[in-house]
Amino acid sequence: MTSLSRLICFSLLLTVAVLLCPARAPYAQTSDAKPKPTGSISGHAFIGGKGAPGIAVAAYGGDVMNRRSAAQATTDSEGRYRLFGLAAGSYQVAALAPNYAPAEPPSPNSFGPISGASKSIVLAPAESVEDVDLKLVRGGVITGRIKDAEGRPVIEQQVALAPVDANGAPAKAPLPPTYNYQMYQTDDRGIYR
């Protein structure tokens, strides 16, 4: 093959390649990428009316039984937090402070004492919800040990907590749902907490 023939073949192949590539480009550039969520929730965590620094706050969304944090933040020196990068949907905003309990009664949709102070929020696309304040008080602990008749610890025994009224009678308030079954059973020493 002569040099001229090679040059013509090479030119022909290059021309065909250039013509075919733009025809494929629209198929190759199809984007399935979803826009990044831009919603946010912000507020304060308060203890005794003062901003509480260093409190972890999270937004939980989706399935109640498979609670995964959609966003998490820690309050600043004045108790402020901001959860961002949230998609549209329903969220439960909760203070993750096991030593504290909600200062206000839980809302009917909240997880109440299971997750500390919490608020239910419905977020629209790219919405910023502000002033979602969480009020906390120092909590308490109920602990004890269960033993059998021979004094041996009873392991993995379910323990229930039931509210009572001022007279000691069972309260009519519903019990919070149990999301952490290990929190309501004895350990290998028979101790519950």
Side-chain angles (χ1 to χ4, degrees):
M1 209 186 220
T2 65
S3 296
L4 183 58
S5 302
R6 285 187 192 151
L7 182 62
I8 292 173
C9 284
F10 178 74
S11 297
L12 185 60
L13 286 173
L14 185 60
T15 304
V16 169
V18 168
L19 291 174
L20 291 178
C21 284
R24 289 184 164 189
Y27 300 109
Q29 293 179 359
T30 306
S31 176
D32 290 336
K34 296 178 184 174
K36 281 190 162 186
T38 58
S40 68
I41 300 171
S42 62
H44 286 81
F46 293 106
I47 298 173
K50 297 178 182 177
I55 301 290
V57 178
Y60 294 97
D63 185 7
V64 173
M65 298 309 283
N66 187 16
R67 290 186 52 171
R68 292 185 185 205
S69 173
Q72 191 167 341
T74 302
T75 58
D76 66 10
S77 62
E78 296 177 7
R80 290 184 302 239
Y81 72 89
R82 181 171 180 256
L83 305 164
F84 55 90
L86 297 169
S90 296
Y91 292 96
Q92 190 74 27
V93 178
L96 307 176
N99 296 335
Y100 294 92
E104 303 168 322
S107 68
N109 300 348
S110 76
F111 299 111
I114 302 303
S115 58
S118 61
K119 304 260 176 136
S120 297
I121 303 294
V122 177
L123 201 60
E127 181 180 15
S128 291
V129 177
E130 298 176 357
D131 299 325
V132 179
D133 295 339
L134 306 171
K135 296 175 183 170
L136 305 166
V137 294
R138 193 96 161 107
V141 173
I142 299 173
T143 188
R145 173 177 272 158
I146 299 177
K147 298 178 186 178
D148 66 13
E150 285 81 38
R152 295 180 302 224
V154 177
I155 300 169
E156 294 184 359
Q157 175 65 47
Q158 292 292 338
V159 178
L161 179 66
V164 295
D165 64 17
N167 299 322
K172 303 220 185 295
L175 290 174
T178 303
Y179 296 107
N180 181 357
Y181 70 92
Q182 290 176 331
M183 186 169 133
Y184 296 102
Q185 69 181 19
T186 58
D187 64 13
D188 61 341
R189 302 165 296 167
I191 295 175
Y192 61 88
R193 185 176 169 84

